[in-house]
Amino acid sequence: TGGLGGMGGAQPLAAVMAGACCLAVECNPGSIDFRLRTRYVDEKTDSLDEALAMIERWTKSGQTKSVGLLGNAADVFPEIHRRGVRPDIVTDQTSAHDPLNGYLPQGWTLARWRDLRESDPKAVEAASRASMKAHVKAMVDFWNDGVPTLDYGNNIRQVAREEGLENAFAFPGF
């Protein structure tokens, strides 16, 4: 899943309560740390390889745990798909409803994002919207591979469609 802030923070806890493991991608280390302190997420890493190894190890041993992966879902989702990893479900609860203040563009640091929100908000929104398109494209790819895929109605599919991804609504929202 993508997002550990706001509404997204409950997803790893819900997955574990339902008997599953969860990899939650989050770009803000403070959000991951908060979810660790409140025990909504069990582990953290900044390495996709390490996160996938954790999930594999836990699954093989019958454990239900979650890991917060520091990264950008617009980068991580396509990479997971490229590697041929097949999750049981793909979800998104990023703050895509707010392209200026809620969604970090691909390749940007948090510092750059925070600075440019003030000095060049149009550039931030444009970069965020392009990143959302890449993010949703990966979700559609998972959906097309038969992986149940959803978002929580955060407007990410609409933005991706507006950015030219014609099949952005291939998967449902919840």
Side-chain angles (χ1 to χ4, degrees):
T1 190
L4 280 175
M7 296 290 291
Q11 286 200 112
L13 179 61
V16 169
M17 291 173 70
C21 290
C22 179
L23 189 159
V25 182
E26 172 58 51
C27 62
N28 183 347
S31 293
I32 296 173
D33 290 340
F34 177 73
R35 297 306 176 188
L36 279 167
R37 283 192 311 275
T38 57
R39 297 177 35 189
Y40 275 53
V41 70
D42 298 306
E43 301 285 341
K44 77 174 181 178
T45 183
D46 62 1
S47 164
L48 176 58
D49 291 333
E50 184 177 14
L52 292 173
M54 288 177 185
I55 297 289
E56 183 176 351
R57 185 174 66 250
W58 296 333
T59 301
K60 283 182 178 177
S61 69
Q63 293 180 295
T64 58
K65 294 180 80 172
S66 61
V67 57
L69 171 63
L70 182 61
N72 190 317
D75 294 321
V76 174
F77 282 26
E79 177 60 18
I80 290 172
H81 187 266
R82 186 193 68 74
R83 291 181 183 198
V85 175
R86 189 177 168 90
D88 292 324
I89 189 169
V90 174
T91 66
D92 177 71
Q93 289 199 348
T94 59
S95 296
H97 62 279
D98 185 354
L100 178 61
N101 298 300
Y103 195 94
L104 180 70
Q106 287 178 283
W108 289 33
T109 64
L110 288 174
R112 178 180 182 206
W113 178 54
R114 289 177 180 132
D115 288 345
L116 288 178
R117 287 187 305 190
E118 296 294 322
S119 65
D120 196 354
K122 289 185 183 200
V124 173
E125 287 190 25
S128 292
R129 293 172 65 86
S131 297
M132 287 182 215
K133 179 182 178 184
H135 184 156
V136 173
K137 164 82 169 66
M139 294 178 76
V140 169
D141 290 343
F142 281 117
W143 174 261
N144 288 339
D145 289 348
V147 175
T149 303
L150 345 124
D151 73 41
Y152 92 113
N154 57 3
N155 206 41
I156 196 167
R157 293 174 296 156
Q158 181 61 41
V159 171
R161 176 179 273 169
E162 290 168 2
E163 292 299 307
L165 187 63
E166 292 181 17
N167 61 346
F169 282 87
F171 61 88
F174 64 93

